[in-house]
Amino acid sequence: MIAALGLPVRRRPMLAIGTALLLAFLLAALLAPSIAPFDPIAQDGSIRLQPPSLAHPFGTDNFGRDVLSRVIWGARIDLQIAVLGVLFPFLIGTAVGTLAGFFGGWIDALFMRLIDVILAFPFLVLMLSIIAILGPGLTSFYIAMALVGWVSYARLIRAQILVLKTQDFAVAAQSLGFSRTRIMFRHLLPNALAGSLVFVMSDAVLVLLNGAAISYLGLGVQPPLAEWGVMVAEGQAFITTAWWITVFPGLAIVTLAFGFSLLGDALGDLLGVKE
């Protein structure tokens, strides 16, 4: 709270705007059955490729489906992608980084060599390879993100733990005979999480874009489910004649990513994390 009160005035609008954008998408996802004007997968060939109008503010697609309804329902899947896509890597990376940084020795060397092996491959190529082996779908995407994305969190947490375990409070805890588990998870880890929490927001942007790209390539969410990447892929053939099919879901992706970026920047100021 004290840190929040000390936040420069020029930075507070970023926190407010980022929070407002994320809340707007969250409410749209939660209230989709109530606020979406049409069934997102209902097809009507008589109104296919209709431009934006009062009846269909975002127009209709090549199957006569209401684009606005599909964008609203798509918020559910894309928010899920952004949250779960960073949650599992965060948990795995935090655990690995804490163990490697605290114990050091062969445990640290083992995990660091594993990280070096993963980083030797391009991120997207490795993720696509895992999804290709497991088969298309969101479950495969989450597994691929968990197997590849944890390395950044592990390196962040490890670096913080290496510094913190030499501080006076950690040495005092060891002198008092506290268990290693208590020192790691009650004294060191809470103080090491600030950088990772900020990174979560920027990573959510990358996960959101990766999820949309995977769906665009046909390896993520499968039609006819409403997902923004799928909608962009479906509308690419009509970009010159029915631009609204691609533009509106594309704007939704950019706006949600912008909200995460603003919130992450403001959170970095609140927690005193240097950029």
Side-chain angles (χ1 to χ4, degrees):
M1 179 62 70
I2 295 176
L5 292 175
L7 190 65
V9 175
R10 65 182 179 85
R11 304 291 282 185
R12 286 178 180 167
M14 299 176 64
L15 177 63
I17 295 172
T19 302
L21 288 174
L22 294 184
L23 286 177
F25 279 104
L26 180 61
L27 288 175
L30 293 175
L31 301 176
S34 301
I35 64 177
F38 298 95
D39 185 336
I41 62 175
Q43 302 181 17
D44 186 352
S46 64
I47 57 170
R48 62 186 302 270
L49 299 178
Q50 293 291 311
S53 62
L54 290 178
H56 301 279
F58 285 7
T60 61
D61 65 9
N62 52 311
F63 294 105
R65 298 172 298 192
D66 182 65
V67 175
L68 174 59
S69 298
R70 290 179 62 76
V71 169
I72 293 173
W73 277 91
R76 287 190 161 192
I77 296 179
D78 283 87
L79 277 174
Q80 175 187 316
I81 289 173
V83 173
L84 296 184
V86 299
L87 177 62
F88 298 124
F90 171 77
L91 294 176
I92 296 172
T94 298
V96 170
T98 301
L99 293 175
F102 184 80
F103 288 105
W106 68 268
I107 296 178
D108 184 32
L110 175 65
F111 283 128
M112 290 304 101
R113 298 296 77 74
L114 178 59
I115 288 176
D116 290 339
V117 171
I118 294 176
L119 291 178
F121 298 91
F123 178 87
L124 191 57
V125 172
L126 185 56
M127 189 173 67
L128 287 173
S129 301
I130 295 173
I131 295 175
I133 294 172
L134 298 176
L138 279 182
T139 300
S140 299
F141 174 75
Y142 295 140
I143 293 175
M145 285 301 306
L147 292 177
V148 179
W150 62 271
V151 295
S152 298
Y153 296 98
R155 296 176 72 185
L156 281 172
I157 292 294
R158 173 183 175 272
Q160 291 296 315
I161 294 294
L162 287 174
V163 173
L164 291 171
K165 73 177 185 179
T166 62
Q167 299 297 310
D168 292 341
F169 73 92
V171 176
Q174 293 177 351
S175 301
L176 291 173
F178 292 162
S179 67
R180 291 180 174 179
T181 302
R182 178 173 178 175
I183 294 174
M184 278 192 295
F185 295 104
R186 293 189 59 181
H187 298 277
L188 297 180
L189 186 57
N191 290 287
L193 281 176
S196 292
L197 292 177
V198 175
F199 183 71
V200 160
M201 293 300 169
S202 60
D203 196 30
V205 176
L206 297 177
V207 170
L208 178 64
L209 296 177
N210 285 333
I214 294 299
S215 296
Y216 178 85
L217 295 173
L219 296 175
V221 177
Q222 300 299 302
L225 290 179
E227 194 276 329
W228 297 335
V230 171
M231 295 174 67
V232 171
E234 292 175 340
Q236 66 176 343
F238 307 93
I239 190 65
T240 58
T241 57
W243 54 266
W244 52 89
I245 303 177
T246 298
V247 168
F248 288 117
L251 287 176
I253 295 173
V254 172
T255 306
L256 181 57
F258 185 58
F260 276 116
S261 296
L262 288 180
L263 190 58
D265 197 6
L267 185 61
D269 283 341
L270 283 170
L271 298 177
V273 177
K274 301 296 183 181
E275 297 180 358

